[in-house]
Amino acid sequence: MSGRLKFLFFALALVAASFAVYHATLWNSFVYDDAEQVLRNRWITDAGYLKEIFTSHTFAFAESSYQAISYRPLFLAFYMAEYAVFGLEP
């Protein structure tokens, strides 16, 4: 078997194994803290909020007095990219 064919075989096997493990999750909905971090997060809906994402704590967008203060800008930037592609579809 040539190197290219072997690579293709293993790549397809990896894709098939990943699909076999995770296919049941494709029809699930948001869970746990997704309501706060995704559904009520106005920052991920507009690229104009990038400055706030990189200069504020993770939950500064929240209207409530949520006190879990952490700094994770890439987490929110990835949510923003996912929102741009998928909207609010889990």
Side-chain angles (χ1 to χ4, degrees), residues 2-88:
S2 73
R4 188 171 209 172
L5 190 60
K6 197 181 286 188
F7 173 79
L8 182 61
F9 173 77
F10 284 115
L12 289 174
L14 180 61
V15 168
S18 298
F19 182 78
V21 171
Y22 291 108
H23 80 280
T25 65
L26 294 175
W27 298 274
N28 289 342
S29 61
F30 290 111
V31 296
Y32 306 118
D33 59 356
D34 293 338
E36 185 73 31
Q37 293 181 354
V38 178
L39 299 176
R40 290 190 294 262
N41 187 346
R42 67 185 183 281
W43 284 3
I44 67 169
T45 63
D46 184 359
Y49 287 112
L50 276 174
K51 180 181 178 195
E52 284 85 355
I53 286 175
F54 282 92
T55 59
S56 303
H57 67 84
T58 302
F59 289 96
F61 68 87
E63 303 284 328
S64 65
S65 59
Y66 196 72
Q67 296 298 318
I69 297 175
S70 60
Y71 180 70
R72 300 186 299 172
L74 292 180
F75 147 79
L76 290 174
F78 277 108
Y79 276 3
M80 183 182 286
E82 290 173 348
Y83 178 83
V85 175
F86 303 110
L88 291 176

